[in-house]
Amino acid sequence: DAGVHSKAWYAATCDRKMAEDALYRSNKDGSFLIRKSSGQDSRQPYTLVVFYNRRVYNVPIRFIESTRQYALGREKSGEERFDSVAEIVENHQRTSLVLIDSQNNTKDSTKLKHVVRVS
């Protein structure tokens, strides 16, 4: 278990569109939730959805079999790894998360500040 099921920020039955709509409604920088990934891939079980600067970012959360840990985004050398998804959230409530816009090739960063519940 990734330590997600009892958390306020985990939207268990939420798809990408519902998550994005909920974050646009919140309209607060740093609003976030975690949903199951659309692809149902065991190597990428969850997605961190973050609102910043009037945009919604979907950041994949990868599960690393060899170490039984989690990491954000595409695999890169020297990446931060965490023992649970809850640790990722706690870490980025304290330290900024880099958000990469692949379409416009821009980088932003924000902390995870506001839990969004999907109704």
Side-chain angles (χ1 to χ4, degrees):
D1 185 310
V4 298
H5 295 285
S6 59
K7 303 294 188 195
W9 40 253
Y10 181 58
T13 56
C14 175
D15 65 16
R16 180 177 184 139
K17 172 135 184 39
M18 284 166 65
E20 291 181 358
D21 289 348
L23 286 164
Y24 279 121
R25 278 196 305 275
S26 81
N27 200 24
K28 283 196 202 118
D29 284 350
S31 295
F32 75 99
L33 58 80
I34 290 192
R35 64 176 174 80
K36 279 195 175 115
S37 287
S38 320
Q40 292 308 311
D41 180 348
S42 62
R43 288 185 307 269
Q44 188 189 310
Y46 303 104
T47 301
L48 168 61
V49 191
V50 184
F51 182 89
Y52 185 76
N53 202 10
R54 298 191 304 282
R55 301 214 31 189
V56 172
Y57 294 84
N58 285 277
V59 184
I61 298 175
R62 282 182 297 110
F63 179 66
I64 302 149
E65 264 314 314
S66 57
T67 59
R68 320 270 325 142
Q69 288 175 305
Y70 295 88
L72 288 172
R74 290 202 191 98
E75 192 167 349
K76 48 213 163 294
S77 63
E79 67 187 0
E80 283 187 280
R81 293 183 172 188
F82 301 90
D83 293 328
S84 69
V85 173
E87 271 185 36
I88 292 176
V89 171
E90 286 156 19
N91 179 64
H92 289 297
Q93 286 174 322
R94 294 188 306 271
T95 63
S96 284
L97 169 69
V98 175
L99 301 168
I100 297 166
D101 178 345
S102 50
Q103 285 158 330
N104 302 322
N105 214 3
T106 54
K107 271 188 188 180
D108 268 313
S109 67
T110 184
K111 292 181 181 165
L112 302 179
K113 295 182 205 146
H114 312 284
V115 175
V116 171
R117 290 178 181 272
V118 178
S119 45

